[in-house]
Amino acid sequence: MTAPVIAYNTFVVAVGVAAVGFAAGVVGSLCVLRKRALVGDAAAHATLVGVACGFLVTGRRDLATLLAAALVSAVAGLGAMVLLRRFTRTRDDAAIAIVIGVSFGLGITLVSGIPAWGYADSAGLEQFLLGHTAALTAADATLLASVACVAAIVVAIGLKEATLVAFDAAFAAASGWPVAVIDYLLVALVAVMVVAGLPAVGAVLVTALVVIPPVAARFWTDRVGTMLLLAGVIGLVAALVGVAVSAMRPGLATGPLVVLAAAAIFGVSFLIAPERGWIARRIRARTLADAWSRGLALDACLRAAGAGDGTFTPVDVEAAVAGDRQGGRRAGAEAFAALVRTAAVAPVAGGRDAWRLTAAGRALAEERRRRLDAWARVIEHDPDDAREALTIDLPAPGAVLGRTGAGS
Amino acid sequence: MILLADGGLLGGHADIHAWAMATAAVVSASCALVGTLLVVRRMSLLGDAIGHAVLPGIAVAVLAGGRAGGPLVFVGAVMAALVTVWLTRGLRAGGGPEEDAGAGVVFTTLFALGVVIVSAAPPGTHIDPSCVLHGDLTFLPFDTVPVAGLPVPRAFIAGAITFSGLLAAAVATWKLQVFVAFDEAAARAAGLPVAAVTFGLLVATALATVASFDAVGAVLVVAMLVVPAAAAELLTRRLHTMAAVAVALAVVGACVGYLAAWRFSTSAAGMIAVVLGLEYGVAAVLAPGDGGLARVWGRLALAWRVAREDRLAAVWRAEESGGERGPATWRSLLERCAGWWLRADGSLVHTADGWRLSPRGRRDAEMIVRSHRLWEAWLGRHAELPLDHLHPPAEWVEHHLGAAMRQRLEAETGGRENDPHGREIPPEA
């Protein structure tokens, strides 16, 4: 924001591109949930053929014409992909790769050839490769914003059906929903958003606009509606950042900047999101492992308490924990320290390095023993029912996980 | 090359064009070789991802003083490819997105990073943003090193070394590659180093990609990796034949594509991808066994046989029930054609009281009706279907049962003489 006043045109373009970013995030969420994340990539690479053909056929360079042609070729690319899957032995992943490679090759051939074939007024077509918002006019931006609004409204209307198909296509089909039609509509919407994102992000990277925001939003929520809105907002912010930075540094194409902004949001989401984020997962895993080790230590104490004079040394307990597959010397020491903190074990008065279970500790260990035995009986008696019970009413994880170490 | 130089097909600078074409051919062959394994292991999209993602590695290596086709660039690209795979897997293991969405996040991000590094690079650096997208074969032949007194383009040497290395590695580990490609779980259970094989394939993909980078750029490399291999897969049934065919298709595609690009004065890399796509299209149509033409032909032949056999059986049944329903009552085009054919080959003969089966026609018709009724009898006995559900499946199956199968069916139905509807099963001829 070095310029004191933002030019009107820049402002309108920013609004238009932001609207596209929002709608792309919303549509992309459904696509990612349906596990069709890379379908957009095939459509995106095929758009270049349309851009070039649109120019060759009409001789015009206005955005509406080129984007309409791009949409036709994107749909044709997707159609070719469907045909390959349907009528050849080629597998799905190779079919996508073939459409990406060959259609982009054809696009490059046309775009590179056009100047040599005597079309003087062809400058600017290569801006569709990596995206360039500097050349957009206010009218272009209005067009993009309208397309984005229509796409968002279509999603709002069909959200229930699309969600159903995304989460349980078999159930949707059995309930009488036309799954194939809904799928085709979804893919068509993705093609529309890819085409709308083309001027700002470019054919090579526009797939990121429909993949990264949804994947980032997924970390924060388990609700479809929230995810869609969040993905939309992330796409919007990324688009705005991209437009702003590229306006300040004219040498840089907009597309990569939009993608990097979205990727930064993704990275932050991956790390710090509550519940699903990496840090939260690490903490949970750590808590679980600690509970497990504590359980093993408690078992060892109880065993020692029942033998000999009922005392034990920390080294015995630590060895019992460390001997476990998941344990380790450090885990043993920490587990014993935790038992000391909770006053489950206490030093024997006068003894140099002898410890015993306190009354509270013994009660805790016996309760754990009892629960483990009960679970062992249930599992032995009916493993399937036990598994079901486990998923319905999960007891303290330490208690269950410790079973393998403490039992037998 | 001699032919091109003498024939003047490319006008002047024939040696330059020949070197460019040879470079395109050798990098294309490297990609096809690696791509064969990527395609059969369903890792085509990983090839795409690595193609994009090597860009930041190459860009950083160039900024650090490496030069195109030099060892530093190869190291940078391999590092970037490994980072891609590591990040994609790491994201999923860390609770992130599914593999393809994760790959979508990682490779677009790395590619974007690469483009920004290239765009922001100081002028004079040997890397051009537009080359990132579609490479440039034109100037490669001018960057030469002398080999035995002959100036040989650096890119060709890098490509040739890459191809030889990949070929040697493939030959040395071929059995292992085949085993892992077709049954990864069994290979792992047999104690083979599956992880190392996969790791090696990723490195090989990165090497083939970076060797092709100057010629075709980071995006079109996916066409060279996947398309010849997918075409070869349609044409052959054995992995080593597939690899050989893929390499051959890649070399032909590179040469034809280069010439076509020169003829139409456009991007050679784009045109090579288009020619490879055409090769795939031809393979998909002409492949023996299950190509488009073979399928259409097979279906037509089957439809035609079914139509003829149905007509024969219809006449036989009409005779059995005492009526006469000869070709005169057949309405649809297919039925009438079948009627014409049967008359022409002497299965139906015209007698005083209408159309009758000739002895040969009767024998053929009886085998069809026999197949039909044996199948109904078998279904009635073993599948516990109600009576009115027996006819439709038998109507399908009757055209596909041979003598041996009929014999088995007869044995398994206890050699009964009537079908579940009470009609007689004709005896075997």
Side-chain angles (χ1 to χ4, degrees):
Chain A
M1 303 302 149
T2 46
V5 180
I6 303 173
Y8 170 73
N9 199 61
T10 313
F11 175 75
V12 177
V13 167
V15 170
V17 173
V20 170
F22 183 85
V26 171
V27 170
S29 298
L30 292 176
C31 202
V32 166
L33 288 176
R34 185 79 179 101
K35 303 200 181 6
R36 299 271 161 85
L38 289 180
V39 165
D41 207 19
H45 283 78
T47 54
L48 198 55
V49 180
V51 168
C53 286
F55 173 74
L56 282 175
V57 172
T58 65
R60 288 163 48 177
R61 245 178 42 188
D62 61 288
L63 196 66
T65 312
L66 296 186
L67 290 193
L71 184 59
V72 171
S73 68
V75 171
L78 293 172
M81 193 173 72
V82 172
L83 287 182
L84 290 192
R85 287 177 177 179
R86 172 78 182 73
F87 291 110
T88 71
R89 261 197 293 152
T90 302
R91 284 176 284 266
D92 286 5
D93 62 327
I96 295 184
I98 288 171
V99 170
I100 290 176
V102 176
S103 65
F104 193 72
L106 185 57
I108 288 288
T109 306
L110 294 173
V111 170
S112 311
I114 282 174
W117 300 337
Y119 294 89
D121 190 29
S122 63
L125 290 188
E126 63 278 4
Q127 294 188 346
F128 287 98
L129 285 170
L130 288 174
H132 234 291
T133 45
L136 290 183
T137 64
D140 294 340
T142 317
L143 171 74
L144 295 181
S146 328
V147 172
C149 286
V150 171
I153 290 170
V154 171
V155 170
I157 292 172
L159 181 58
K160 190 184 70 179
E161 289 75 14
T163 310
L164 181 62
V165 170
F167 281 95
D168 198 340
F171 173 73
S175 316
W177 291 102
V179 173
V181 174
I182 293 172
D183 265 343
Y184 280 125
L185 273 178
L186 179 59
V187 171
L189 264 186
V190 172
V192 168
M193 285 329 298
V194 161
V195 169
L198 210 52
V201 191
V204 184
L205 286 171
V206 70
T207 182
L209 207 55
V210 285
V211 173
I212 298 183
V215 171
R218 184 70 186 89
F219 282 106
W220 297 92
T221 175
D222 285 332
R223 305 217 47 92
V224 175
T226 320
M227 177 180 162
L228 259 67
L229 282 181
L230 204 53
V233 171
I234 293 171
L236 184 149
V237 170
L240 280 181
V241 171
V243 171
V245 176
S246 122
M248 289 186 284
R249 292 283 308 272
L252 291 180
T254 319
L257 299 172
V258 174
V259 173
L260 287 182
I265 298 174
F266 168 85
V268 171
S269 307
F270 175 76
L271 283 180
I272 67 161
E275 299 280 323
R276 299 175 73 94
W278 187 78
I279 292 173
R281 274 169 188 269
R282 289 293 301 190
I283 291 174
R284 265 209 309 283
R286 201 49 212 274
T287 315
L288 194 64
D290 286 352
W292 185 3
S293 302
R294 233 172 14 252
L296 291 180
L298 212 48
D299 279 343
C301 297
L302 189 62
R303 268 200 308 279
D309 62 350
T311 64
F312 45 84
T313 64
V315 177
D316 296 337
V317 177
E318 284 163 23
V321 177
D324 186 71
R325 187 163 51 89
Q326 296 281 326
R329 182 66 51 189
R330 199 176 54 86
E334 280 176 12
F336 193 79
L339 292 186
V340 176
R341 261 201 317 281
T342 53
V345 293
V348 179
R352 222 181 121 260
D353 193 20
W355 295 66
R356 59 174 178 77
L357 274 174
T358 61
R362 176 176 290 277
L364 204 61
E366 278 170 353
E367 169 61 13
R368 174 183 149 80
R369 190 76 260 158
R370 195 186 61 71
R371 278 166 74 168
L372 287 178
D373 287 346
W375 272 110
R377 274 199 304 282
V378 173
I379 289 168
E380 204 169 297
H381 179 69
D382 191 342
D384 287 341
D385 266 5
R387 202 166 297 126
E388 227 161 80
L390 273 173
T391 59
I392 296 166
D393 177 26
L394 208 60
V400 177
L401 289 176
R403 183 174 54 80
T404 45
S408 74
Chain B
M1 289 180 196
I2 294 165
L3 183 139
L4 291 171
D6 288 351
L9 182 55
L10 291 164
H13 316 296
D15 54 335
I16 298 295
H17 287 302
W19 275 124
M21 208 154 75
T23 307
V26 76
V27 298
S28 188
S30 308
C31 288
L33 187 61
V34 176
T36 302
L37 291 171
L38 289 177
V39 166
V40 293
R41 293 191 61 184
R42 302 172 190 224
M43 290 159 67
S44 307
L45 291 174
L46 195 63
D48 185 33
I50 289 178
H52 286 79
V54 294
L55 182 59
I58 293 176
V60 169
V62 168
L63 287 186
R67 59 182 304 166
L72 193 58
V73 169
F74 275 80
V75 171
V78 170
M79 298 300 289
L82 295 182
V83 167
T84 309
V85 175
W86 177 73
L87 275 180
T88 308
R89 302 213 166 139
L91 284 185
R92 196 177 49 156
E98 316 258 336
E99 190 131 13
D100 62 338
V105 173
V106 173
F107 83 74
T108 51
T109 304
L110 286 177
F111 187 77
L113 191 63
V115 172
V116 169
I117 294 175
V118 170
S119 308
T125 319
H126 284 282
I127 191 158
D128 173 6
S130 75
C131 284
V132 165
L133 293 167
H134 48 81
D136 197 346
L137 276 163
T138 322
F139 298 112
L140 290 184
F142 294 102
D143 181 15
T144 59
V145 283
V147 176
L150 193 73
V152 177
R154 195 183 294 275
F156 177 81
I157 296 175
I161 292 173
T162 308
F163 180 69
S164 322
L166 292 177
L167 188 64
V171 169
T173 62
W174 193 250
K175 270 193 166 171
L176 197 57
Q177 302 285 0
V178 176
F179 195 0
V180 174
F182 286 101
D183 200 337
E184 201 174 317
R188 195 170 290 128
L192 295 174
V194 174
V197 170
T198 308
F199 180 81
L201 183 57
L202 297 175
V203 173
T205 309
L207 290 177
T209 304
V210 66
S212 338
F213 180 78
D214 292 308
V216 298
V219 184
L220 285 171
V221 71
V222 64
M224 298 172 74
L225 282 170
V226 175
V227 181
E233 194 184 31
L234 298 179
L235 294 171
T236 63
R237 295 271 176 187
R238 299 186 64 83
L239 193 59
H240 53 79
T241 334
M242 181 180 158
V245 172
V247 169
L249 287 175
V251 170
V252 171
C255 294
V256 174
Y258 184 84
L259 291 175
W262 185 82
R263 168 70 184 76
F264 296 109
S265 40
T266 181
S267 153
M271 199 52 115
I272 290 172
V274 171
V275 172
L276 292 175
L278 289 178
E279 286 178 350
Y280 176 85
V282 171
V285 172
L286 294 185
D290 55 4
L293 268 188
R295 274 180 200 225
V296 170
W297 177 251
R299 285 184 189 193
L300 283 180
L302 179 63
W304 178 234
R305 185 164 68 82
V306 167
R308 277 179 296 146
E309 293 182 351
D310 279 350
R311 287 307 95 203
L312 267 185
V315 176
W316 193 91
R317 290 201 176 93
E319 285 186 2
E320 182 189 37
S321 59
E324 198 262 357
R325 284 196 293 136
T329 62
W330 296 344
R331 288 279 167 265
S332 82
L333 184 64
L334 189 60
E335 286 179 346
R336 278 192 293 181
C337 287
W340 280 104
W341 182 272
L342 293 174
R343 258 175 277 175
D345 84 339
S347 298
L348 289 179
V349 288
H350 198 258
T351 63
D353 44 335
W355 289 99
R356 288 287 170 224
L357 290 163
S358 71
R360 186 163 60 86
R362 183 174 311 281
R363 202 177 57 243
D364 291 348
E366 275 174 0
M367 284 316 99
I368 295 157
V369 175
R370 177 175 162 76
S371 299
H372 184 104
R373 293 186 178 170
L374 274 174
W375 190 252
E376 287 188 336
W378 190 89
L379 277 185
R381 179 166 174 155
H382 294 280
E384 296 178 5
L385 285 172
L387 270 188
D388 59 342
H389 279 53
L390 298 178
H391 179 74
E395 194 65 21
W396 282 103
V397 167
E398 62 182 10
H399 306 288
H400 303 281
L401 297 182
M405 194 56 157
R406 284 197 294 268
Q407 209 169 4
R408 239 183 100 185
L409 286 174
E410 185 173 27
E412 292 192 12
T413 50
R416 41 190 294 183
E417 290 177 354
N418 293 322
D419 71 6
H421 303 290
R423 285 188 288 260
E424 190 194 341
I425 300 176
E428 186 76 39

